[in-house]
Amino acid sequence: MGLKPLLNDILVRARADLRMGVPVVLTGRGGALLVMAAETAGELRYDTLMARGEVDLVLTGRRAETLKARAYDGDVARVMLPDNAGLAWVQALADPADDMRVPMKGPLQTRRGGNCELHRLAITLVKSARLLPAVLVQDLYDPLGLANDENLTVVPGDLASPHVMEMAALDNVVAARVPIRAARNTRLHIFRPEDGGEEHYAVEIGRPDRDAPVLARLHSACFTGDVLGSLKCDCGPQLNAALAAMGEQGAGVLLYLNQEGRGIGLANKMRAYALQDQGFDTVEANHRLGFEDDERDFRIGASILQKMGFSSVRLLTNNPGKIAMMERCGVGVAERVPLQVGKTPENERYLAVKAAKSGHMF
């Protein structure tokens, strides 16, 4: 009994299955669904699904708005697929890459009425798997029988729904000295979520006083900016400027949070970049993909700071959302320290949109 997977383990398995194109089964008081991620669906499994009966494509309200499909359920839309719907057409509904060349994909019929809590859970699962927020679903009348026959992961929706977006507890796995250009007296802490998710890092410079506000930065991972030196954003310069400021003061903590692309993952971030090349701004691109403006979870940063013994910060940020979340999570923000670096001709519009639509303070 002590070896069986717990709810978090089941959710990790479900995310992995969805990323590989394997369906999962969601059960709940409102029925049961067979769920497959539209992005990773293969022809064989798709054809098998369609042969079994009616299939819906569940999209977020954001994506439905772009497609001019009625989202009767508000945040999700259940698009009824025609019997002759091919996988390529379905995936074009999920992915906006070709919207400008082929804008008319309908008319699309959407369902109304009934319980759609499991549909919302399905969208949340694929989002947390860093996939496009679009799922193929089919009603099931013998969910456990099908799951047993096909060896599919079963997610108990009534138990999972309240927890799927909960922040997993973090374990401080290890810390070791790592001299860096900004400061030789630096330690790197590794924090691992108990749900098997991506690890997050804390760069501790010097020996900051736990009884005083620490100079801190919550920095979301940006492969293109931090590693490649992309000029489309200000992330790389912000990272380096924050570390330099901490080095000059002899103390500070930079949290490097693995929430690439405002929490949508690098692949979806590149999709957003491709849409920006078509003329959309960063917020519009996220919405066309089916995401919100910002999908990051800043509670992670507050939790790490508290685990390290800090209760108050001097926060290096231009983002009022970070300040608000720190305060809500019990980490006092004694001062906002502006971080205005990295403006280029290539990112001038991006920064203007962040100010106008996300309230960033430049």
Side-chain angles (χ1 to χ4, degrees):
M1 292 292 290
L3 299 178
K4 67 180 181 181
L6 303 175
L7 179 59
N8 270 343
D9 306 322
I10 293 169
L11 290 173
V12 171
R13 287 183 180 182
R15 293 184 186 105
D17 287 348
L18 291 167
R19 285 182 65 86
M20 294 186 293
V22 178
V24 300
V25 172
L26 304 187
T27 62
R29 286 189 296 269
L33 294 178
L34 183 63
V35 174
M36 185 160 56
E39 178 182 344
T40 54
E43 291 283 357
L44 178 59
R45 288 193 176 105
Y46 175 77
D47 290 345
T48 301
L49 190 66
M50 292 295 287
R52 287 175 44 85
E54 286 187 339
V55 177
D56 288 352
L57 175 67
V58 183
L59 303 169
T60 66
R62 292 291 193 188
R63 181 63 182 146
E65 183 179 3
T66 295
L67 295 170
K68 304 298 187 286
R70 288 185 178 274
Y72 291 110
D73 305 308
D75 54 341
V76 295
R78 295 169 285 165
V79 178
M80 295 181 279
L81 296 187
D83 292 339
N84 62 349
L87 179 59
W89 180 75
V90 168
Q91 290 179 330
L93 294 181
D95 188 342
D98 214 23
D99 280 359
M100 298 299 285
R101 190 179 69 82
V102 187
M104 299 301 294
K105 295 184 170 67
L108 302 175
Q109 289 185 293
T110 55
R111 295 193 191 275
R112 65 191 305 174
N115 189 323
C116 59
E117 287 308 306
L118 290 180
H119 302 77
R120 289 190 176 93
L121 175 59
I123 287 289
T124 302
L125 273 176
V126 292
K127 274 189 176 184
S128 65
R130 300 292 187 261
L131 297 172
L132 284 170
V135 289
L136 294 154
V137 304
Q138 187 172 68
D139 287 328
L140 294 177
Y141 302 99
D142 182 18
L144 300 184
L146 177 67
N148 184 64
D149 291 344
E150 301 290 346
N151 197 24
L152 301 178
T153 300
V154 178
V155 178
D158 293 337
L159 295 176
S161 290
H163 300 290
V164 70
M165 290 306 289
E166 271 189 355
M167 192 194 75
L170 294 161
D171 293 329
N172 191 343
V173 179
V174 67
R177 179 175 165 272
V178 182
I180 62 175
R181 285 192 300 270
R184 292 184 179 277
N185 186 17
T186 298
R187 291 172 63 80
L188 180 63
H189 301 254
I190 309 298
F191 288 85
R192 180 179 297 157
E194 291 183 357
D195 67 356
E198 294 176 294
E199 294 167 348
H200 306 283
Y201 319 125
V203 181
E204 181 181 13
I205 291 178
R207 290 292 182 267
D209 183 355
R210 266 57 177 176
D211 295 324
V214 62
L215 184 63
R217 162 92 180 144
L218 275 65
H219 189 89
S220 299
C222 177
F223 174 77
T224 51
D226 300 341
V227 179
L228 301 182
S230 168
L231 301 177
K232 284 178 67 71
C233 66
D234 54 348
C235 302
Q238 285 188 327
L239 172 64
N240 293 323
L243 290 173
M246 294 172 189
E248 289 172 7
Q249 294 196 16
V253 176
L254 183 137
L255 307 184
Y256 198 86
L257 308 177
N258 274 309
Q259 301 189 108
E260 181 81 46
R262 295 186 184 176
I264 66 177
L266 184 57
N268 288 321
K269 173 181 168 179
M270 290 301 98
R271 291 186 171 108
Y273 272 23
L275 292 174
Q276 289 172 40
D277 288 341
Q278 295 178 21
F280 300 101
D281 68 38
T282 181
V283 172
E284 293 166 342
N286 268 28
H287 290 178
R288 293 187 77 87
L289 286 165
F291 294 104
E292 296 302 316
D293 303 18
D294 195 333
E295 300 269 354
R296 289 175 293 181
D297 187 351
F298 296 128
R299 296 175 301 173
I300 297 169
S303 177
I304 291 174
L305 286 166
Q306 289 167 333
K307 282 184 173 293
M308 294 180 70
F310 299 107
S311 60
S312 180
V313 294
R314 297 170 54 235
L315 196 61
L316 279 155
T317 188
N318 303 320
N319 185 351
K322 291 181 180 179
I323 298 171
M325 183 55 72
M326 290 300 100
E327 296 282 4
R328 283 201 295 272
C329 292
V331 176
V333 180
E335 177 188 0
R336 180 184 81 88
V337 182
L339 192 59
Q340 298 179 7
V341 294
K343 186 174 182 178
T344 69
E346 291 84 357
N347 67 29
E348 187 173 1
R349 184 187 179 211
Y350 165 75
L351 297 179
V353 170
K354 286 210 297 185
K357 293 188 175 183
S358 302
H360 285 227
M361 299 173 283
F362 295 112

